[in-house]
Amino acid sequence: MLQDIEPYLVCPHCARPLALDGRTLRCADGHSFDQARQGYVSLLAGDAKQGTADTAEMVAARGDFLAAGHYAPLERALAAAAAGVAAESGLVADLGAGTGHYLARVLEARPDAAGAALDLSKYALRRAAKAHPRIGAVVCDAWRPLPLRDGAADLLLNVFAPRNGPEMRRVLRPGGRLLVAAPTSRHLRELVGALGLLSVDEDKDRRIGEKLGPWFAPVERTEVEFALRLSRADAAAVVGMGPSAWHTEPAALAAALAALPEPVEVTGSVLVTAYE
């Protein structure tokens, strides 16, 4: 709900605090932002582009796949890592939250926290707004100043999502934690060659660390590896919900999916790194 995260929000135009007036957020400079009937609010700057946002089809595929519990081991790992973070501000912010699925699991482990689901896709945030009663869903661009006040969050989540180091550092309170979940080179390896998916290079963890290095230091790493038994429909959802959706040709994908055994045995492999 927007009222749960209202104290942490700032105007994307002037960075002044926002106050909720009915279904509208307003700042002292007169900027206003109406809550959509689906529950989210857009705090995008006027010239922002949404061309790279997840489409309705991508969001539907991700929603179905995650709801089936395929990534439950990752959900449990994130919730466990989040449960021990000391609470001061009471906010968990998820940058690139998508449907809010992981944020909802973390909020279950932190019953006194509110959650800010931040994403560029309004289709994803329609779902995030309903994913948990303590989630407020906000459309914003990860590569621009985030519409959160300085030091707003106790905990930042970043699951398979863009990482804006300076802004993440700004909105995380001193002593707070950032949890980054990123695939290893083994993630979905059985599907990469068979379906022509984008692969994950073996240096990904190092590159993430170098990119975040000026603002964060890693303090804990947990490798989450698990076996998946996927139907062809599940495999199609994996393609459709991620970046490979932009790079596959439908007819070739359909032929490759038809050639898969059913179920197909697939490796899930994700590194969860805690930063301070």
Side-chain angles (χ1 to χ4, degrees):
M1 302 292 285
L2 283 182
Q3 58 261 39
D4 291 323
I5 65 169
E6 172 200 6
Y8 311 106
L9 297 176
V10 297
C11 177
H13 301 298
C14 63
R16 301 190 72 174
L18 289 170
L20 194 59
D21 177 13
R23 295 178 61 84
T24 301
L25 286 166
R26 305 181 192 276
C27 74
D29 280 356
H31 303 118
S32 63
F33 310 89
D34 294 330
Q35 184 178 15
R37 61 182 177 85
Q38 296 92 346
Y40 66 87
V41 66
S42 177
L43 296 183
L44 281 173
D47 61 344
K49 304 294 189 294
Q50 289 187 287
T52 59
D54 288 350
T55 65
E57 293 76 16
M58 293 171 73
V59 169
R62 184 176 303 123
D64 292 344
F65 187 85
L66 294 178
H70 295 300
Y71 282 2
L74 174 57
E75 298 167 26
R76 291 192 292 268
L78 288 167
V85 177
E88 289 187 13
S89 75
L91 180 70
V92 178
D94 190 348
L95 183 57
T99 63
H101 185 85
Y102 298 108
L103 178 57
R105 302 292 83 76
V106 166
L107 290 177
E108 290 168 2
R110 297 179 67 89
D112 296 326
L118 310 174
D119 203 279
L120 188 60
S121 170
K122 64 181 181 181
Y123 300 109
L125 291 177
R126 288 174 181 176
R127 295 188 180 227
K130 299 175 176 64
H132 192 280
R134 284 181 276 121
I135 286 179
V138 178
V139 182
C140 65
D141 188 342
W143 299 114
R144 295 189 177 213
L146 300 175
L148 295 175
R149 63 174 173 79
D150 294 357
D154 291 322
L155 179 66
L156 278 178
L157 303 180
N158 183 259
V159 184
F160 305 146
R163 292 163 292 274
N164 181 343
E167 274 300 286
M168 295 163 86
R169 174 64 188 89
R170 181 185 66 79
V171 303
L172 185 65
R173 69 162 175 81
R177 281 207 172 183
L178 162 65
L179 297 181
V180 175
T184 76
S185 59
R186 297 182 300 283
H187 188 57
L188 306 178
R189 60 186 175 187
E190 295 85 356
L191 297 181
V192 169
L195 302 182
L197 307 188
L198 298 176
S199 61
V200 178
D201 72 75
E202 295 187 0
D203 286 335
K204 187 175 182 68
D205 179 52
R206 179 186 58 77
R207 289 190 291 102
I208 291 173
E210 289 178 352
K211 186 173 181 179
L212 294 177
W215 302 280
F216 295 96
V219 293
E220 188 176 341
R221 284 188 170 90
T222 302
E223 192 168 294
V224 185
E225 192 149 308
F226 48 98
L228 297 165
R229 288 172 59 85
L230 303 181
S231 67
R232 293 188 185 114
D234 293 330
V238 167
V239 180
M241 74 186 203
S244 290
W246 303 102
H247 302 279
T248 52
E249 196 278 318
L253 176 61
L257 285 167
L260 289 177
E262 194 166 32
V264 57
E265 304 283 344
V266 178
T267 302
S269 183
V270 182
L271 186 63
V272 177
T273 305
Y275 293 87
E276 288 183 349

